[in-house]
Amino acid sequence: MADESSGAAKTKSIWLSDTALLVYIAVATVIVHWITGHQYGFQRDELATLEDSRHLDWGFVAYPPITPLFGRLSLIIFGTSLAGFRFFAAVAQAIAVGLTGLMAREMGGGRGAQLIAAAAAIPFCLAGGAMMQYVSFDCLFWVLAAYFVVKMLKSEDPRWWLAIGASVGFGLESKYTMGFFAIGIAVGALLTDGRRYFRSKWLWYGVGLSILIFLPNLIWQARNQFISLQFLQHIHARDVHMGRAKNFLPEQLKLTLGGIVLALAGLYFTLFSRQVKRFRMLGWMYLIPLALFVIAKGRAYYLAAAYPMLYAAGSIWAEQTLSRMGSLAGNLIRVLVWVVLIADAALMASITLPISAADSPWATRAMKINGDFCEEIGWPELVETIAKVRDSLPAEDRAHFGILAGNYGEAGAVNLYGPQYGLPPVISGVNSFWQRGYGDPPPQTVIVVGRNRDQIQDSFVSCTLAAHTWNRFGVLNEETREHPDIFLCRTLRQPWPEFWKTARHFG
């Protein structure tokens, strides 16, 4: 009987352990994403990722290969299911939430601290996992690298540098901004007791491992004239011109919401508390990327992945502070903390998850805040309209026609929905689509979408207005607002090879 009671207690403790609770929270976010992820349609950026997933390579113009790789796995497992395509992004964000709680544990936090830290990470998890995007995987590898740094600092075992190096390497294969965090890790070590590790072979093994993991993409870049550098320069200049980087510091509040208090507490705790002096490196791992992004005029969300480690440290500070208070005051503040964290999650869910129909009053309000929703509407209608234009052509034109798309959303939509109408593969000069060419033989009649008349009239002998873009919900988005006209153009003024040399553009 004693053995049976002991076994039952052990089983119960496993299912109610701190780790189990963190797993439940993480799984719950995946379920929420799965339930809501089928609404609306593929977002503009997702359509580009989906198409790149069908042409796997060691690099792409707009991003490294990790995100298209997981996109390919999604297509293999779920087909072109919308929720399925977003599945691995949701899982990546869920793992980041769990790791945030585990970091709090490794730093000495109890159950309360672990749960608070994980809860603080949920708002960005909901936003980052709502779409299939490189931000989701970039965040995961930042958090994973920070977790391994915590493990190393706690154990003082330099072999953890291998795990840190692997995280940095895979992070660079997800988004190049991982380089800023790698600098933060290096400088953080130099400015703290971590400098002793520079004499350890394991640190340099970790550096070598990160380079080895990143090497395939580096070789791809070299073979493609470092095209991603040109892309990033273009995008950065565009963002600066549009003012997307001017509110970098204030917009950190949008990323963290009420969690900013916890993050600031974690920053103070790691930098100035004697109790966690061994984790001082974490504070610098936040401050260095912060300074670099401010100097480089990066966008606010680039720093989002640096907050989980501060949440973990801040939750320990909160736990210890509350334990020194009287029971009544401590309990009231605990309740207040949880009210704020739950409200943060609910607020973020309301503006980043498609929880209501696209034509509902709630969705209309959400679209005013979150423009990504607008860019999930109207793609099937666009392709249907293109097919109708094709059907209106004489037989001789239909035999030699093509579809020229101006942006990657249109290009991805045509290749996704076009086969059901018998449409040919799209032609587009944007990003990685340019590398896929214009077909053989090249078309003589071209349906042009995503371009204004003044952008195309000099390229073709004749262009006539054939149709307009629309969507069944009447949502105003980039397609219906900025380039609503669909043109029918005939006969390029120069040979296709010459035209194609100047057709490449970035977006």
Side-chain angles (χ1 to χ4, degrees), residues 344-375:
D344 284 350
L347 175 62
M348 191 63 76
S350 69
I351 61 176
T352 62
L353 300 181
I355 57 180
S356 62
D359 55 351
S360 69
W362 184 279
T364 301
R365 288 191 292 270
M367 287 180 187
K368 293 179 180 180
I369 301 172
N370 181 6
D372 285 336
F373 284 155
C374 298
E375 303 308 320

Side-chain angles (χ1 to χ4, degrees), residues 24-330:
Y24 299 153
I25 292 174
V27 171
T29 66
V30 176
I31 294 173
V32 168
H33 279 127
W34 183 266
I35 292 173
T36 61
H38 67 279
Q39 293 267 42
Y40 308 169
F42 290 94
Q43 200 265 356
R44 180 183 302 277
D45 293 352
E46 290 180 305
L47 288 168
T49 303
L50 188 152
E51 182 63 19
D52 287 339
S53 298
R54 291 172 167 162
H55 300 83
L56 286 186
D57 204 341
W58 284 112
F60 299 88
V61 171
Y63 34 58
I66 284 287
T67 307
L69 173 62
F70 279 102
R72 182 63 165 269
L73 291 176
S74 298
L75 292 175
I76 292 172
I77 297 172
F78 303 107
T80 53
S81 159
L82 180 57
F85 190 65
R86 296 169 171 172
F87 175 74
F88 286 109
V91 170
Q93 288 296 290
I95 294 172
V97 168
L99 287 172
T100 305
L102 291 177
M103 273 193 283
R105 177 193 301 179
E106 295 295 333
M107 296 170 68
R111 172 175 290 196
Q114 295 171 44
L115 295 179
I116 286 174
I122 287 177
F124 187 78
C125 163
L126 296 176
M131 298 191 307
M132 181 61 167
Q133 53 187 334
Y134 54 66
V135 174
S136 308
F137 303 98
D138 173 59
C139 176
L140 170 60
F141 291 116
W142 277 53
V143 176
L144 194 62
Y147 172 73
F148 289 135
V149 168
V150 170
K151 293 284 287 185
M152 180 191 68
L153 296 176
K154 177 184 178 182
S155 65
E156 298 187 349
D157 185 346
R159 289 176 294 182
W160 283 108
W161 280 110
L162 289 175
I164 297 168
S167 300
V168 169
F170 284 115
L172 288 169
E173 292 281 25
S174 301
K175 192 171 185 288
Y176 298 121
T177 49
M178 170 56 83
F180 287 79
F181 196 47
I183 294 172
I185 294 172
V187 175
L190 283 172
L191 295 177
T192 63
D193 291 342
R195 69 177 66 92
R196 69 184 186 275
Y197 290 115
F198 280 83
R199 297 189 297 270
S200 170
K201 64 181 181 180
W202 294 105
L203 182 149
W204 300 107
Y205 288 165
V207 171
L209 181 59
S210 67
I211 294 173
L212 182 64
I213 293 172
F214 180 56
L215 188 59
N217 180 251
L218 188 61
I219 294 173
W220 183 90
Q221 293 290 348
R223 289 177 174 174
N224 289 272
Q225 295 76 49
F226 291 93
I227 188 65
S228 292
L229 288 179
Q230 300 176 43
F231 169 84
L232 292 171
Q233 289 171 353
H234 170 85
I235 295 299
H236 182 259
R238 180 204 66 183
D239 289 347
V240 171
H241 176 74
M242 296 176 66
R244 291 181 173 178
K246 66 180 181 180
N247 294 318
F248 183 90
L249 292 176
E251 288 188 5
Q252 299 307 303
L253 295 174
K254 295 182 180 180
L255 295 175
T256 56
L257 301 177
I260 190 63
V261 176
L262 205 62
L264 291 174
L267 183 61
Y268 173 85
F269 198 50
T270 55
L271 289 177
F272 301 108
S273 174
R274 291 182 177 273
Q275 183 180 351
V276 290
K277 182 180 178 181
R278 69 169 62 185
F279 300 112
R280 194 141 295 169
M281 183 174 163
L282 298 180
W284 291 107
M285 285 165 54
Y286 171 80
L287 290 176
I288 298 302
L290 169 65
L292 292 174
F293 283 133
V294 169
I295 294 170
K297 297 183 179 180
R299 298 186 66 177
Y301 72 87
Y302 292 176
L303 193 63
Y307 286 101
M309 61 185 179
L310 297 187
Y311 294 151
S315 69
I316 299 170
W317 174 86
E319 184 179 61
Q320 295 179 355
T321 301
L322 293 175
S323 68
R324 293 192 292 267
M325 294 182 175
S327 58
L328 179 59

Side-chain angles (χ1 to χ4, degrees), residues 397 444-448 453 456-465 487-493:
D397 284 343
Q444 298 174 10
T445 300
V446 181
I447 298 173
V448 181
R453 185 183 293 273
I456 58 174
Q457 61 184 0
D458 293 337
S459 298
F460 294 90
V461 172
S462 68
C463 282
T464 57
L465 181 64
F487 296 96
L488 183 62
C489 299
R490 290 181 170 87
T491 313
L492 267 177
R493 295 184 184 274

